Each structure stands twice: as C-alpha cells, then as structure tokens.
C-alpha cells in the first residue's frame, strides 16, 4: 500500500531551447494526502507550476524532458504509464483548475457542453451528463443554472467563469484537484468566495487540493502545508502556519518580509492650501452606462492618494478621464487651478508633461522596437524645451541609476529585461518629463511580491526626493495601506468612502469598505483565521 | 441582424452601380463592334442599319441611359453573337462555373483542413514536413503550366483522360485537379498555421487535463476555433474560381463564365460582358455574406 495519495519524487524537468537547456525544476519532491491542501508557493520563474504540469502530462515533449524522478499516484508511477492510461486518469482522478478561466474555457462551445464533456469522455451518457452538469452549476452557486448551461464563456463574469472551471473539475469527483493560481486577477471579494467554495467541496468529497500560487495570503487562507520554491528548487517545506511564523530559508524570510500590509501607516498630513489637483463632479458615460457618476476629490502637493475598488468600479476610467485619454462628459479637473477638462488641446499638450502615467503592463506599454535610451529620451523629442540634445545621454544614465538600473542598459530593448525592471523603465520614462503628478494605474499589480516591494520603495523614495504626488490606482489593499496617505474607495462609478489611510483601514465607516477589508487576504495564517471568522459573522448577520 | 443585412445590401448595391458605370464606358473604349459582326464586304447601308438596330448611333450617354433603364426592368439586353438574351447566355456559363467551383472547393477544403490539422498536431514531424513541402509547391505553381503538364501526361501520353468538354465525369477530372492545386496549397498553409495557434491555446490544455482523446482535441476543440481565419481564405479562393478560372476554362474548353467573358470581350459582345460581370459581382456579394454568416455560426462571440 502506498504511503501517500500523490507523491512526486526527485523530479527534474528541463526544456531545450535555442539558448540551451533550461532546468525548470530540479530534484523536486512533495506529497499530497486525501483531504489536505498543499500549496506550492513561488514567484514567476520559480518552476512552481512545472511539477503540476508533469502530473497532468501537459509538458510538451520536446522541447521538454523529464530527466529524472517518479510521480506516484496510489503507488503507481504515472511516468511509466501509456498516454491512454494517463488520459483516463486526467479529469477523472486528478482534475485541474487554471488561472484566467476566460482563456482556458473554449470560447465557441456552451459551458453546459464543456462541463458535460468531461463526464462523457470518462464514460457517462450525454443526457445524464447534462443533468449532472446542471446539478454542478447549482452546487457552485451559479445564478440561473438552467439558462447558464446554454451560454458561452464570454457571457459570464470573471468570478463566475472560475466557478464554471471548478464545476467542470469536480464533475467526476476527483481524488485530487490541482488549482494553478485560481484566484489571481479576481477581485478580493470574489477571490474569498472562490477559495471558500473550493474548501466546501473539499469537505464534501475529501479530495486533496494542490494549490499553486504566488500569494502568501492565499496560502494563509486555505493551505495546510506549503512548499516554497525558488529557481526550480524547493527551498523550504512544512506546516503553513509554522513556515510563516518561523521561516528557515533566507528566501522564505525575504518573501515573507516583502509581503505588503505591515508597515507603519503615515500620520494624516496637513491638507490646507490650494490642492495640486482638484477633481470636481467628473462624469463619464459609455452609451447608457455611467462609468463615473460625479467624482470629486483633491490631491495635495506631495500627497499619495490611492483609489481602490473592484473591477468595474470606474477607477481606471477616472485616471483616463483626468488625463483626457477618454473625454469626460462633465465636471472639472483643476490642475493648479487650470481646468484640464475644458482647456484646448494645445494647452493640454503643454500641461501633459506635468502629469505622467505608469500603466499596469510594462510589456505592452513599452514599444518593443525602441531601445531604453529611445524610450526615455522620446520625452525630450516631444517636449524639446525640457532638455537640449547634448545632455540626453547623461540624463538617461542618471534616470536609470535613479530607478535602480545600470546606465549601460540604455542600449538594450525591453524584452531583455524582467517584469520588474521593465516597470522601472516605465517609471524612468515618466520621470523624464519632470512631472509633478504621476498616475499609477495598477502599476505594481502584475509584479512578484518582492519586486512589488522594491518598486513601491522606489516610488516612495522619488516622492521624498522630488516632492511628487501620486494618484495610485490599485485593487490590492495591503499595498495601498503601506504606500498611500489617503484612500478613496470607489464602487459603481461613485466614491463610497474617502479618508486618511489610517482612518479607512482601522475605522472604516462604510459596509462596503468593511467587506473589502474583510475579504482581503493577510499573509499571516492566524490573522487570516480571525478574518475568516469575522467574515462568517458578517455573512450570518446579513442572512 | 436585419440591420446588418440591410447595410450590406446597400453597400453592395452602391458598388454594383459603380461597376455598371465603369464597365459600360470602358467597354465602349474598345471600338465599334459593327466591323466585327458584319462580313468585310457588307454594304454601308447594311452597316448603318446594324448600328441603328443596336443603338450604336445614339450618343453614349443615351445608350447608357437606355441600358440602365432596361437593367432596372431586369433586361440585360440581347447577345449580339448568339442572338438571344444575354442573361441566358451568362447564366448558362455561370452554372457550369458554379458547379466547377463547388466541386473543387469542397474537395480542397476537406483535404486542406484534414491534412493541415494533422500536420499542425505534430509540428516538425515527418507528416508535417511532407505536407508543408507539397503545399508550398502547390501554392506557387502557375496553373497554366500544371494544366499543360497534366494534359501531356494524362491525356497525350497515357491517354486516360479527355482534354476538353464536359460530357462525362472523366471530363471533369483534369480541370478540377488543376484548379485544386493552388487553393489547396494556400489553404493548407493557413489551416496549419491557424491550427498550431489553436492547439497551443489554453483551452486545449484544459481539454487535455479533462482527459479528452487526441482526435476530438484536434477536430472538436481546436478546429472550430482554427477555422475562423481559414474561412476568409476559402472565400477568397472560391471567388477566384467564380470570377472565371479563365486560363483553366480556356485550356480545357470548359464552357464556364471565364471562357465566356474572354470570348465576349474579343468579339465585343458588350451586353454579355456586362451581364457576366454583374452576375459575378452578385455571386461574390452573396458569397461574402455567406462567409460572414459562417463566422457568426462558428463563433458565438460574433453577432451582427
């Protein structure tokens, strides 16, 4: 009899690329038992998903190759089985839920068909499978399950799609559910719902859950044990709470140290005098849909104002409307007393250098065919009065040093940098304009935790050095708590609460803010357990 | 949907009007057809009578006005060469070409989709290499050359197949085979590329994780997504045949619309040329509409 339900022993996987062999994971061992949740925690490039892909036979070979190791399911080595044998295990005994359910559901088939399919390929009759699919949709809390069967994936919201993926995965009552970043890119309240759904299903069926994540908060919320990976190797493994309280490996310590949400919150600053930016009753409609329903707030010189809210709350539209990347339908945005909304394009052009924007995805916001030097100096091509050409080279070098990059990197192209470095380039580009206000639209959301902390530190340093102001748009509350002076909570195009960061986080006035805070995940398993309790109370009180 | 159809019909109607104007005046630039139709020794009176009968003496704008007026009554005029309504002549040729296009494109589509999908499933494999090699040759070979070589081999040397006419099924083999080569090569390349993308997409990964067998993964999960860009190319190639596979129809003496147009132009049978162009344009319009509808049928995200 085998010791464990699923056991990976000394697994090494390599990929043969044009640049040579890349060792994705080396000598990785872990195990999973019935009814428990194991989390594999790691940043991008750590190889955290590779062993799960090996379990599911999803590694393309070539270029991939499993150079050593065994994967035992009930003591039988999966790697020695034929493709057909493994196909019969996939979906039936081991099922998988992926990140980004929109991409992972087939866009051209109805969800009812797709859920029924997993049962049909494992031998269930069509009609029976469809009836069961309906029951599954009811089980995962899909509204109007009957109608949902005949809809297509694009007709659902992000959270609903992940429920569909989960319904599909648990259709055959698998022994093991592998979830690869299942809640990344979901709103915090939706994330909490999806995670608790997975836990409920686990209690019902006793399945083992393997959770792959970069988020310490997710680990704290549902994992029993955790495997920490870095650079393709396991650096630490153990009880989730134990690892958090008493990390052994320096990498784990660094990762836990970098988790946002623990810093000192700033004191409320003096907000007398003329604001740098004063937004008054700003409105924006898309057809009949009101994206901004009259939003008003002020940003003072040197102040960081964070806008938080879930997707669809209008926070990004707000940023774009202020800069007139989208024309607002009404209201004012007074920058040093001059109205950005009503000024003519020429005046706006000269003012734009004062207000710069840093976007979420530096891969897309940096032109891949321009060198770093060209990207940064483009600012001076457009606004020649800032800096005469002979000084460009020296200034680019200076800016690169300022954002923590090497001046010699100026001749490289964006694809030669990591995600965090690219975001630094984007910040250097914004700084080249010598702005007074930088609007960050989810500027650190796509970055790994440790990189995120570095970029936040950089932004904070620049604020102190140049007296910059930030409008910081984010969905991640712990980051906001560390970085912002003031918080604006938005919902459905309106501000529901505004206040100093300490007031909003420690004494929220609105139910919606309280719900957001309760749903946000803390990296500390004990804090998280307490929050879970608080959330349950709020739910029972509501019901 | 209704709105969409209306808009499309309006836009196509506009282009048809433009086409009528353009072709009518361009065709008159080639000279007076009288000289061609009457014997060299025809008398001046006879020539004058012929001109008068066919309205060639009227000012050009009047001729045009008359033509448009008749068109509005669905009268495309008389074919001078065949002395019967031009539309009858054209529809006869068009029906031959339409059959040829349908037969050819059906075979092309099935072959290219199946072979292209299988090639995409194992990129770089031996099947993929062979398929890619032949499709590139097919896509780049000129059809007049293929036609001549095919006649030399199968008709002249081996004597297996007839070289011209439409009498039996054997008559169809050479024209269809020659017309098959280029669209097959092109479409296979597009299918292969599109299927490589589809097969490496996240939803295919999901299907593998569900335990779906390889064949349904290719032909159910990936193909319906991969077909979208292919449909456009299929439409393009079908249009090329419908517009008159002039070279192939001429070589094989196939009485289609391509051959008809060439003959009519050479003999200045303007009414037939105009009618043929109009029918072709109408066919292209209907086919583009079918492509749009096929898009919507394949992809639920597309709604008009």
């Amino acid at each position: 009899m085998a010791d464990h339900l699923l056991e990976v022993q000394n697994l090494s996987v390599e990929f043969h690329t044009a640049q040579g062999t890349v060792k994705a994971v080396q000598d990785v061992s872990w195990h999973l038992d019935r009814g428990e949740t194991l989390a594999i925690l790691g940043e991008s490039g750590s190889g955290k998903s590779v062993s799960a892909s090996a379990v599911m036979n999803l590694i393309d070979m070539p270029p991939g190759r499993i150079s050593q190791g065994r994967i035992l399911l009930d003591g039988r080595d999966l790697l020695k089985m034929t493709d057909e044998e493994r196909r019969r295990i996939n979906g039936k005994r081991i099922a998988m839920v992926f990140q980004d359910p929109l991409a992972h559901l087939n866009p051209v088939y109805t969800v009812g068909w797709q859920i029924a399919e997993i049962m049909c390929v494992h031998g269930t009759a069509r009609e029976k499978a469809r009836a069961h699919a309906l029951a599954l949709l009811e089980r995962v809390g899909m509204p109007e399950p009957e109608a949902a069967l005949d809809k297509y994936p694009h007709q659902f919201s992000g959270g609903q799609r992940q429920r569909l993926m989960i319904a599909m995965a648990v259709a055959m009552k698998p022994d093991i559910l592998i979830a690869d970043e299942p809640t990344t890119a979901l709103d915090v309240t939706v994330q909490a719902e999806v995670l608790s759904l997975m836990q409920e299903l686990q209690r019902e069926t006793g399945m083992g859950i393997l959770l792959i994540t970069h988020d310490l908060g997710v680990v704290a919320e549902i994992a029993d044990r955790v495997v920490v990976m870095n650079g393709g190797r396991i650096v630490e493994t153990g009880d989730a709470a134990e690892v958090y309280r008493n990390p052994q490996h320096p990498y784990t310590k660094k990762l836990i140290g970098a988790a946002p949400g623990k810093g000192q919150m700033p004191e409320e600053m003096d907000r007398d005098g003329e604001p740098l930016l004063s937004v008054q009753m700003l409105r924006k409609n898309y057809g009949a849909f009101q994206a901004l329903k009259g939003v008003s707030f002020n940003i003072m010189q040197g102040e960081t104002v964070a806008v938080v809210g879930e997707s669809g709350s209008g926070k990004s539209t707000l940023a774009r409307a202020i800069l007139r990347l989208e024309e607002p339908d009404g209201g004012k945005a007074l920058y040093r007393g001059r109205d950005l909304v009503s000024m003519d394009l020429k005046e706006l052009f000269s003012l734009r250098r004062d207000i710069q924007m840093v976007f979420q995805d530096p891969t897309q916001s940096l032109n891949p065919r321009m060198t770093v030097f060209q990207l940064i100096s483009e600012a001076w091509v457009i606004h020649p009065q800032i800096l005469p050409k002979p000084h460009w080279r020296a200034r680019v070098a200076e800016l690169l040093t300022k954002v923590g990059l090497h001046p010699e990197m100026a001749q490289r192209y964006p694809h030669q940098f990591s995600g965090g470095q690219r975001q630094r380039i984007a910040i250097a580009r914004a700084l080249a304009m010598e702005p007074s206000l930088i609007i960050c639209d989810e500027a650190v959301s796509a970055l790994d935790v440790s990189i995120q902390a570095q970029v936040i530190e950089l932004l904070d340093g620049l604020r102190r050095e140049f007296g910059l102001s930030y409008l910081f748009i984010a969905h991640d509350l712990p980051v906001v708590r560390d970085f912002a002076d003031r918080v604006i909570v938005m919902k459905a195009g309106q501000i529901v609460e505004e206040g100093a960061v300490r007031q909003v986080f420690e004494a929220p006035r609105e139910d919606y803010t309280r719900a957001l805070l309760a749903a946000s995940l803390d990296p500390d398993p004990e804090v998280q357990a307490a929050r879970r309790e608080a959330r349950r109370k709020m739910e029972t009180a509501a019901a | 949907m209704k709105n969409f159809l209306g808009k499309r019909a309006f836009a196509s109607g506009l282009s048809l009007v433009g086409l009528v104007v353009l072709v009518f005046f361009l065709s008159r630039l080639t000279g007076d057809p009288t000289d061609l139709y009457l014997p060299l020794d025809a008398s001046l009176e006879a020539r004058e009578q012929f001109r008068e009968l066919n309205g060639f003496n009227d000012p050009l704008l009047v001729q045009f006005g008359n033509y448009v007026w008749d068109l509005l009554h669905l009268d495309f005029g008389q074919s001078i060469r065949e002395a019967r309504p031009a539309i009858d002549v054209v529809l006869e040729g068009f029906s031959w070409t339409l059959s040829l296009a349908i037969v050819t494109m059906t075979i092309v589509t099935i072959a290219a989709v199946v072979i292209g999908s299988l090639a995409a499933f194992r990129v770089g494999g031996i099947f993929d290499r062979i398929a890619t090699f032949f499709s590139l040759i097919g896509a780049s070979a000129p059809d007049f050359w293929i036609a001549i070589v095919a006649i030399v081999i199968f008709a002249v040397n081996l004597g297996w197949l007839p070289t011209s006419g439409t009498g039996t099924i054997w008559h169809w083999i050479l024209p269809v085979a020659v017309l098959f080569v280029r669209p097959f090569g092109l479409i296979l390349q597009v299918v292969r590329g599109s299927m490589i993308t589809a097969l490496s997409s996240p939803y295919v990964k999901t299907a593998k994780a569900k335990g779906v067998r390889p064949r349904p993964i290719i032909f159910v999960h990936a193909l319906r997504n991969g077909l979208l860009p292919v449909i456009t190319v299929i439409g393009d190639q079908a249009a090329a045949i419908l517009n008159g596979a002039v070279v192939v129809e001429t070589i094989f003496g196939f009485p289609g619309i391509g051959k008809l147009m060439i003959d009519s132009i050479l003999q200045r049978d303007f009414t037939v040329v105009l009618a043929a162009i109009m029918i072709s344009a109408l066919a292209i319009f209907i086919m583009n509409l079918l492509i749009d509808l096929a898009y919507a049928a394949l992809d639920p995200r597309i709604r008009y």
Side-chain angles (χ1 to χ4, degrees), chain A residues 48-120:
Chain A
K48 61 181 186 290
S49 303
V50 177
S51 45
S53 297
V55 171
M56 299 303 287
N57 199 17
L58 291 178
I59 297 176
D60 285 324
M61 294 185 268
R65 194 172 81 88
I66 294 175
S67 51
Q68 65 159 6
R70 301 199 295 170
I71 300 175
L72 303 178
L73 177 69
D74 284 336
R76 285 191 62 205
D77 190 354
L78 291 177
L79 298 179
K80 293 215 173 73
M81 292 184 188
T82 63
D83 280 350
E84 177 58 21
E85 280 174 303
R86 300 194 67 179
R87 187 190 65 70
R88 277 191 224 145
I89 290 171
N90 275 5
K92 188 170 186 183
R93 298 210 53 205
I94 315 175
M96 191 156 177
V97 172
F98 298 89
Q99 185 183 358
D100 191 3
L102 180 60
H104 282 90
L105 289 166
N106 198 323
V108 299
Y109 293 99
T110 62
V111 300
W113 185 90
Q114 294 188 56
I115 296 174
E117 186 193 28
I118 191 169
M119 297 176 253
C120 295

Side-chain angles (χ1 to χ4, degrees), chain B residues 154-260:
Chain B
F154 294 103
V156 179
N157 288 353
L158 294 174
W160 291 352
L161 297 167
T163 58
S164 79
T166 54
T168 65
I169 188 152
W170 302 107
H171 288 89
W172 285 68
I173 291 179
L174 276 181
V176 168
V178 170
L179 281 176
F180 170 90
V181 174
R182 191 205 291 265
F184 170 74
L186 280 172
I187 293 171
L188 191 136
Q189 281 300 306
V190 179
V191 170
R192 180 178 171 273
S194 166
M195 284 297 283
I196 288 174
T197 312
L199 282 168
S200 59
S201 65
Y203 54 81
V204 163
K205 207 162 144 190
T206 307
K208 285 182 190 163
K210 280 160 86 175
V212 181
R213 290 182 177 82
R215 208 175 306 158
I217 284 183
I218 304 175
F219 292 109
V220 177
H221 280 272
L223 186 59
R224 188 157 159 194
N225 287 283
L227 268 187
L228 290 170
V230 176
I231 288 178
T232 314
V233 185
I234 291 178
D236 238 34
Q237 294 302 310
I241 299 182
L242 275 184
N243 263 341
V246 178
V247 173
V248 173
E249 284 185 3
T250 310
I251 291 178
F252 292 103
F254 195 89
I257 200 162
K259 187 167 182 302
L260 177 68

Side-chain angles (χ1 to χ4, degrees), chain B residues 80-136:
Chain B
I80 302 174
R81 188 161 58 109
E82 303 206 11
R84 61 188 179 120
I87 189 71
D88 292 355
V89 181
V90 169
L91 284 181
E92 203 179 292
F94 183 73
S95 67
W96 282 112
T97 302
L98 188 65
S99 320
L100 188 64
I102 289 174
V103 170
T104 310
M105 288 313 292
T106 306
I107 301 174
V108 165
T109 304
I110 293 170
V113 165
V114 172
I115 297 174
S117 302
L118 293 175
F121 189 62
R122 292 230 185 281
V123 178
I126 185 79
F127 185 81
D128 179 34
R129 281 167 200 233
I130 294 174
T132 304
F133 178 75
F134 281 104
S135 80
L136 284 177

Side-chain angles (χ1 to χ4, degrees), chain B residues 1-16:
Chain B
M1 183 74 202
K2 239 182 194 161
N3 202 352
F4 165 77
L5 282 178
K7 271 187 200 159
R8 286 300 288 272
F10 179 73
S12 309
L14 272 187
S15 21
L16 273 185

